[in-house]
Amino acid sequence: MPQVHFKENAASVVETLPDGTTVHRTCSAGIGCHNLGCGIKVHVKDGTITKIEGDEENPITQGRLCVRCLTALDYEYHEDRILYPMRRAREDRGLDRWERISWDEALDEIITRYQQTVEEYGIGAVSVWCGTGREASQIHFQMANDVFGTVNAVHPNSGWSCIVPRMAAMLWTMGSSYIEADNAIGFPDRYDDPRWECPKHMLIWGRDPLRSNPDGLFGHSIIDMMKRGMKLIVADPRVNWLATRAEVHLQLRPGTDAALALGLLNVVITEDLYDHDFVERWTYGFDQLAERVAEYPVDRVAGICEVDAEDIRTAARCIAERPSTLSMGLAVDQNPNTLQIGHALLSLFAITGNMDIPGGCFMGLPPIFAGMAENAPSEEEAGEPEGLAKFGNIGVEPLGHDRYPAMSAIVNTTHPDATLDVLETDVPYKIHFAYLFGHNSISCMVPQPKRWLEAMRKIDFVAAADLFMTPTLMGVADIVLPAATFFEKEGYVSNNNASQPGQLGAIIPCIEPEGECRADLEIMLELHRRLYPNSTKPGWASPSDFIDGQLSKMRGVDATYDDLCEHVVGQYEIEYKKYEKGLLRSDGAPGFNTPTGRIELYSTVLQRLGDDPLPYYLEPKFSKISRPDLAEDYPLTVTTGARRFTSFHSENRQIERLREIHRWPTALVHPATAQACGIEDGAWICVENQLGRVRMKAQVSPTVKEDVVACDHGWWLPEADAEDLFEVFEYNVNNLIPHEENGPLGFGTHYKSMPCRISVAE
Ligand SMILES: Nc1nc2c(c(=O)[nH]1)N[C@H]1C(S)=C(S)[C@@H](COP(=O)(O)OP(=O)(O)OC[C@H]3O[C@@H](n4cnc5c(=O)[nH]c(N)nc54)[C@H](O)[C@@H]3O)O[C@H]1N2
Ligand SMILES: Nc1nc2c(c(=O)[nH]1)N[C@H]1C(S)=C(S)[C@@H](COP(=O)(O)OP(=O)(O)OC[C@H]3O[C@@H](n4cnc5c(=O)[nH]c(N)nc54)[C@H](O)[C@@H]3O)O[C@H]1N2
Ligand code: SF4
Ligand SMILES: [Mo]
C-alpha cells in the first residue's frame, strides 16, 4: 500500500521578513485552475497580499508557477469580485437588479425554498450542480447526498466528456484508477531516484500539458524528462510546442483517434513487437484483439486519419521500446468513440509490456472518485448520509441512469444530456430547486447553451455560489453567494482525488476573506448545521474537522489537516509492478482488478454493459464522410477548447494583465483556408454550422491542418452588458456543439469534431 510521506521542511511554513511582511507557503488551488497544489509563497503585509512567487521547496513544482497564479493578486483584489450575498426577484432573472442581503437572510431563504420544494414535490425535485475541479467538486456528490438529501447531483458536461470516460476505460479494461505517465512524482528526489527510469518515448495523445497541467501530469515534468533523453510522439491535429519537438507528429483528422490507435496496435502485432511473456501471463483476449486489429491495416488507417503510413509504423516501433509511456488527454473523452480510444491505447501499452514499470504507465489503486460504490467507505465507516437517510432514497438512481445504466458503474451524477431532456420535458418529473457551485454552464460546460438557459430558467428557485458574476448566474440565479479564494480558506489538494497517487497538499489560509466571502465547504457545513440541528455526526463541526474525516478515508494517508499544514505537501511512495505483489486487487491476490484478474484486451465488463468487448472505430457522426450532404455547406472541421495559458475555462477574463496576452476569442485558421475565404490575420470571423454560429478573431497560422479550424472555448466578455449576459451567445463556441450525441453507453460527444464554415464577420 503506497503511503504518503513528508519531507522535513527546509523552509518554515511562515517566515517573517525584517519589514514585518509574513511569507506563507501554501498550495495553490482552484482560482483559475483545478485544485492542483502548485507550491506558492504568499507575501502578506498588514493583512493584504503584496506579492506572489513560486515555492522552490515544493518537491513537485519546485518553484514553477503559471501566469494565472502569478496574477492571482489581480484576481483576489479585483473590483468585480462578489463580496456579499445578493438576491433578485425571480421575474428579474437576466436583469442586473441585485440587492445586498445578509448571510442569514440568504441561508434562511435557501432553506425555506428547499424545504417547501421537498414538501410539495418530493426530494427528486432537488438538484445540486457543480463544475470542474475546485473545492466544490471535491465535495459535490457528498453534499448533494448529505446536506440536500438528493441523488440528483448534476455535472452537465455532455457525455461526461472530461476524465470520466478515460477513467471508465481504465477501470473496466485494466482494473485501475487513473493511469498516468510515470514522472517520478512520488520520489522525494524525483528523477534522481535509482528506482525510476526515464521513459524512452512518451506518446502524448490529444493533450497539451504545457498549457493544461492536467490532473496529475505537470507540463514541466515533460520538459524535465526530455532533458533526460525522453523523446515524444504526439497525436494532435494541431502543431503545438511539444509537437514541434516530437520524433513523430501524427497530425490526425479530428475525431479519428480510435482508428489511429488500432493502426498502431496493428503494427505492433504484425511486426511482432509485443511482449510475449507479459501478454501470456497477464492479459486476456489477445487472439481476439489481434483478429480485430487485423481489420485496421496501416494503409487503411492512414487514409481514415489523413496521416502518413510510415509515420504510424515509426511511432508504433518507438512505443514498443521499453520503457515508454502514455499521456492521454481530453480529446480522448470528447468523442463518442471515447471508451474504444481509451481501450485501444491502454491495450497498446499493455501488450508492449509498459504497464506499471519504471518509466511506463503508472497504475493506481481502484479509485475513490465520484462516490464509486466499490471503494467508497462502508456505511458503517462513513455514517449514513443524513439527507439521504431522511428521505430514504438510498439506491434510487440519479436521473438518466435508466437510459444509460453504465453511468451508474462509474459516477454518481445524473446523466448530463438526460438532465436537459428532463428539464425540458418535466419527464419523469420537474426539477424545482437547484444549488449551483463552482460552475458556469452557460459560458462553458454545456453544448447548445441557449437551450440549457431556457431549461434552467424553468427551475423555480436557483441559488449559486461563485467569485464573479457570470452569464450563468446573471441568467438564472435568484440568490448569489460570495465564494472564498484559496488564500482565504482551509482545504487540501490531492491528484485526481487520490485515485492516482501523487501529492497531497495543504491549503493554508493566509488572509482574512474579502468582504463576506466564505468557502464552499463552510457554506455546506452551515447549511448542514441549520438543516440537521440535532446531528451528532462527527466531522461536521468545522472545515478542518471535515478535512480530517476526508483524509482518514484515503488509503495510505495517516495524517490530519494539521499534519499537512506543518509540511505543506506530502508525496505518495511509488510502487511498481503492483500486479505481481497483490497490490491492485481488493482480495490481495496477484493480478489486475478485473473479472478475469488480467488486463482485459477483450473486455468482459464492456461486454456485460452492452458494448463491443473489443475496440472499434466510429466515424464522427457529422464528418464529411458520414454526412457528405452537410459537407457541401460546411466543408471544414471545427475542434474546440485547446487550452490557453491565460484562462481556465470561462475564468480569468476579468484579469487585464491576462487579457493583454490573449484578448479575444480566437480561431486558428490555416493560411490556405484563410486565403480561400478572404480572411486576414486578426479579422473578426463568423464560424458556423447547422446548429449555430459564433464570432472569433482569426489567427492565421500553419499550426492547424488545412481544413481544420481550432476555436477557443469558454468565452464571454465581463466588460459587456450584464443584461446581454455579457454577450456569451456571441462568443461561446458551444453554440456549434450538439446535444446528446453520445457513445453507445452514454459517454463522450463531439466537442472536438464538428463541421463548420468560416467567413468574414459583418
Ligand atoms: N490553462 C488551462 N488549463 C486547464 C484548463 C483550462 O481551461 N485552461 N482546463 C482543465 C480541464 S477541466 C481539463 S479537462 C484539461 C484538459 O487539458 P488537455 O487534456 O491538455 O486538453 P485540451 O487542451 O482540450 O486539448 C489537448 C489537445 O488536443 C488537441 N485535439 C483537438 N482535437 C483533437 C482530436 O480530435 N484528436 C486528438 N488526438 N487531439 C485533438 C488539441 O489541438 C490540443 O492540443 O485541462 C485542464 N487545465
Ligand atoms: N467547446 C468546449 N466546451 C468545453 C470544453 C472544451 O474543451 N470545448 N471543456 C469542457 C470541460 S473538460 C470542462 S471540465 C467544462 C468546465 O466547465 P465549468 O466547470 O462550468 O467551467 P468554469 O469556467 O471552470 O466554471 C467554474 C465557475 O466556478 C467559479 N469558481 C472558481 N473557483 C470557485 C470556488 O472555489 N467556489 C465557487 N463557488 N466557484 C468557483 C468560476 O468563477 C466559474 O464561474 O467545460 C467544458 N466545455
Ligand atoms: S498549474 Fe499553473 S495556474 Fe494551476 S495551480 Fe499550478 S501554477 Fe497555478
Ligand atoms: Mo475538464
Side-chain angles (χ1 to χ4, degrees):
M1 176 77 62
Q3 299 290 323
V4 165
H5 53 89
F6 297 105
K7 188 169 129 181
E8 280 316 309
N9 279 331
S12 51
V13 178
V14 183
E15 190 192 346
T16 307
L17 303 181
D19 71 347
T21 299
T22 48
V23 183
H24 303 249
R25 296 177 58 216
T26 180
C27 288
S28 166
I31 58 165
C33 207
H34 277 150
N35 268 15
L36 283 192
C38 295
I40 193 165
K41 288 200 298 198
V42 188
H43 293 238
V44 179
K45 182 90 194 286
D46 302 327
T48 302
I49 303 177
T50 55
K51 182 174 157 184
I52 281 164
E53 55 184 340
D55 178 9
E56 59 289 336
E57 291 301 319
N58 182 302
I60 293 154
T61 55
Q62 300 166 339
R64 289 119 145 177
L65 287 185
C66 314
V67 69
R68 300 191 308 289
C69 266
L70 289 169
T71 53
L73 245 177
D74 306 19
Y75 190 118
E76 173 69 29
Y77 297 118
H78 199 282
E79 60 183 10
D80 291 352
R81 250 188 91 182
I82 302 172
L83 297 179
Y84 308 100
M86 298 191 292
R87 173 168 49 205
R88 145 182 96 173
R90 189 184 190 284
E91 59 274 19
D92 288 341
R93 284 181 182 177
L95 302 177
D96 197 8
R97 295 194 184 152
W98 298 98
E99 56 155 336
R100 180 177 166 182
I101 53 173
S102 69
W103 269 103
D104 271 337
E105 283 173 282
L107 295 172
D108 282 348
E109 180 154 353
I110 292 171
I111 286 176
T112 308
R113 299 301 299 256
Y114 165 75
Q115 284 168 336
Q116 278 172 356
T117 304
V118 176
E119 241 162 71
E120 261 178 70
Y121 308 105
I123 189 64
V126 173
S127 60
V128 180
W129 301 50
C130 187
T132 189
R134 291 18 180 265
E135 175 185 66
S137 86
Q138 261 174 351
I139 55 177
H140 176 203
F141 314 97
Q142 187 177 356
M143 295 307 163
N145 294 179
D146 260 309
V147 175
F148 293 98
T150 178
V151 291
N152 288 327
V154 181
H155 178 103
N157 193 346
S158 179
W160 238 116
S161 304
C162 174
I163 214 172
V164 160
R166 265 173 288 165
M167 294 194 67
M170 289 164 184
L171 184 71
W172 293 343
T173 69
M174 309 278 129
S176 173
S177 64
Y178 202 86
I179 299 173
E180 188 53 275
D182 177 12
N183 61 348
I185 198 169
F187 296 128
D189 47 357
R190 298 294 300 273
Y191 313 104
D192 291 328
D193 194 290
R195 286 168 289 182
W196 187 74
E197 204 176 318
C198 187
K200 292 203 174 59
H201 290 95
M202 175 184 277
L203 173 62
I204 305 185
W205 196 288
R207 202 181 215 191
D208 193 358
L210 298 194
R211 292 180 177 187
S212 62
N213 295 299
D215 324 276
L217 185 75
F218 289 107
H220 44 71
S221 69
I222 296 180
I223 308 291
D224 290 342
M225 293 191 282
M226 286 167 74
K227 286 184 184 160
R228 289 170 186 250
M230 183 179 80
K231 303 258 191 299
L232 304 179
I233 316 284
V234 170
D236 197 308
R238 203 170 53 95
V239 186
N240 55 23
W241 190 93
L242 293 168
T244 64
R245 271 81 177 163
E247 295 302 291
V248 184
H249 177 201
L250 303 166
Q251 200 173 2
L252 75 170
R253 174 164 67 94
T256 60
D257 300 62
L260 187 56
L262 285 156
L264 292 167
L265 275 166
N266 181 292
V267 177
V268 165
I269 294 176
T270 53
E271 294 190 6
D272 195 8
L273 304 174
Y274 59 95
D275 181 338
H276 287 253
D277 182 53
F278 185 87
V279 165
E280 179 72 23
R281 289 176 62 195
W282 299 109
T283 69
Y284 176 79
F286 179 79
D287 293 343
Q288 290 101 317
L289 178 72
E291 213 173 292
R292 174 59 56 88
V293 306
E295 296 170 26
Y296 297 88
V298 174
D299 289 332
R300 178 180 171 222
V301 166
I304 296 174
C305 305
E306 301 174 359
V307 171
D308 185 75
E310 207 40 46
D311 283 348
I312 302 177
R313 290 193 188 94
T314 310
R317 289 169 197 151
C318 291
I319 291 160
E321 281 178 42
R322 271 192 306 276
S324 285
T325 191
L326 169 68
S327 171
M328 282 199 264
L330 184 62
V332 171
D333 302 325
Q334 292 186 329
N335 186 325
N337 211 175
T338 176
L339 297 176
Q340 292 72 33
I341 306 170
H343 192 190
L345 287 174
L346 295 164
S347 300
L348 178 65
F349 281 79
I351 67 170
T352 48
N354 279 308
M355 279 295 162
D356 222 27
I357 60 167
C361 303
F362 192 76
M363 300 186 89
L365 305 166
I368 309 174
F369 180 76
M372 271 218 35
E374 184 191 353
N375 308 293
S378 69
E379 226 161 69
E380 226 166 277
E381 282 170 316
E384 214 171 354
E386 249 139 354
L388 285 186
K390 182 164 170 187
F391 301 107
N393 62 4
I394 291 176
V396 174
E397 283 177 337
L399 284 167
H401 284 228
D402 49 341
R403 283 157 64 196
Y404 301 103
M407 263 286 130
S408 315
I410 189 86
V411 77
N412 265 354
T413 58
T414 61
H415 184 274
D417 301 78
T419 309
L420 179 61
D421 299 341
V422 170
L423 290 173
E424 286 183 338
T425 59
D426 301 334
V427 176
Y429 47 75
K430 186 167 155 54
I431 300 288
H432 291 270
F433 174 100
Y435 184 89
L436 275 60
F437 51 170
H439 177 43
N440 189 3
S441 26
I442 301 307
S443 313
C444 194
M445 192 177 259
V446 299
Q448 300 295 288
K450 271 189 190 156
R451 273 177 72 179
W452 278 88
L453 176 70
E454 291 314 315
M456 289 172 84
R457 278 191 170 157
K458 289 174 64 188
I459 302 172
D460 294 334
F461 177 78
V462 179
D466 205 300
L467 295 120
F468 286 93
M469 184 52 66
T470 65
T472 306
L473 269 53
M474 205 52 216
V476 305
D478 304 311
I479 295 249
V480 164
L481 304 174
T485 63
F486 70 84
F487 300 116
E488 305 167 339
K489 68 185 178 192
E490 295 172 331
Y492 72 95
V493 294
S494 77
N495 279 354
N496 283 332
N497 294 331
S499 72
Q500 191 255 332
Q503 92 264 36
L504 184 66
I507 300 169
I508 313 170
C510 51
I511 51 168
E512 289 298 315
E514 284 293 286
E516 294 181 0
C517 295
R518 290 191 190 175
D520 293 299
L521 176 56
E522 250 185 276
I523 301 171
M524 287 300 127
L525 296 180
E526 183 59 29
L527 282 171
H528 184 264
R529 207 170 288 134
R530 291 176 186 224
L531 281 165
Y532 311 98
N534 302 322
S535 172
T536 51
K537 214 170 135 164
W540 289 77
S542 69
S544 63
D545 215 26
F546 186 86
I547 296 164
D548 285 348
Q550 300 288 92
L551 296 177
S552 73
K553 288 177 215 155
M554 286 185 191
R555 273 166 305 208
V557 178
D558 179 21
T560 61
Y561 176 65
D562 285 345
D563 298 330
L564 273 191
C565 289
E566 226 174 89
H567 300 275
V568 189
V569 62
Q571 291 163 282
Y572 284 88
E573 270 168 26
I574 287 182
E575 188 76 70
Y576 295 112
K577 294 204 172 181
K578 292 184 281 294
Y579 52 91
E580 285 183 348
K581 302 167 193 158
L583 292 174
L584 285 180
R585 291 177 56 85
S586 20
D587 60 10
F592 295 85
N593 194 32
T594 59
T596 56
R598 290 160 174 255
I599 281 180
E600 295 197 348
L601 308 172
Y602 179 101
S603 167
T604 61
V605 178
L606 283 173
Q607 187 172 40
R608 234 182 319 133
L609 291 170
D611 210 335
D612 191 327
L614 294 164
Y616 56 90
Y617 172 60
L618 270 180
E619 175 64 29
K621 187 167 178 184
F622 303 98
S623 74
K624 59 190 173 192
I625 292 165
S626 302
R627 292 287 303 273
D629 58 322
L630 273 179
E632 278 175 29
D633 286 334
Y634 308 108
L636 306 173
T637 301
V638 57
T639 172
T640 70
R643 274 50 179 152
R644 296 273 176 184
F645 287 111
T646 45
S647 59
F648 194 79
H649 296 295
S650 71
E651 242 185 317
N652 310 93
R653 307 280 190 255
Q654 302 86 354
I655 311 301
E656 180 52 29
R657 285 200 285 171
L658 297 175
R659 290 288 291 281
E660 275 172 19
I661 301 171
H662 185 71
R663 182 157 305 273
W664 302 113
T666 299
L668 295 181
V669 182
H670 191 275
T673 309
Q675 200 184 14
C677 302
I679 289 167
E680 285 183 14
D681 187 51
W684 277 106
I685 61 169
C686 170
V687 186
E688 64 192 312
N689 69 11
Q690 75 277 20
L691 299 172
R693 61 196 324 218
V694 72
R695 275 158 65 87
M696 295 264 148
K697 273 250 181 189
Q699 183 182 344
V700 177
S701 160
T703 57
V704 274
K705 271 175 102 75
E706 200 165 314
D707 56 357
V708 172
V709 178
C711 289
D712 287 358
H713 78 299
W715 270 92
W716 57 295
L717 301 180
E719 66 272 27
D721 185 358
E723 298 194 353
D724 203 8
L725 298 191
F726 308 99
E727 296 181 14
V728 66
F729 296 122
E730 282 285 297
Y731 302 110
N732 181 351
V733 77
N734 284 342
N735 292 345
L736 276 58
I737 309 297
H739 168 62
E740 208 161 11
E741 292 291 354
N742 315 125
L745 299 185
F747 296 92
T749 194
H750 300 269
Y751 288 104
K752 286 205 175 0
S753 61
M754 281 300 286
C756 77
R757 70 169 169 236
I758 55 175
S759 54
V760 178
E762 289 121 37

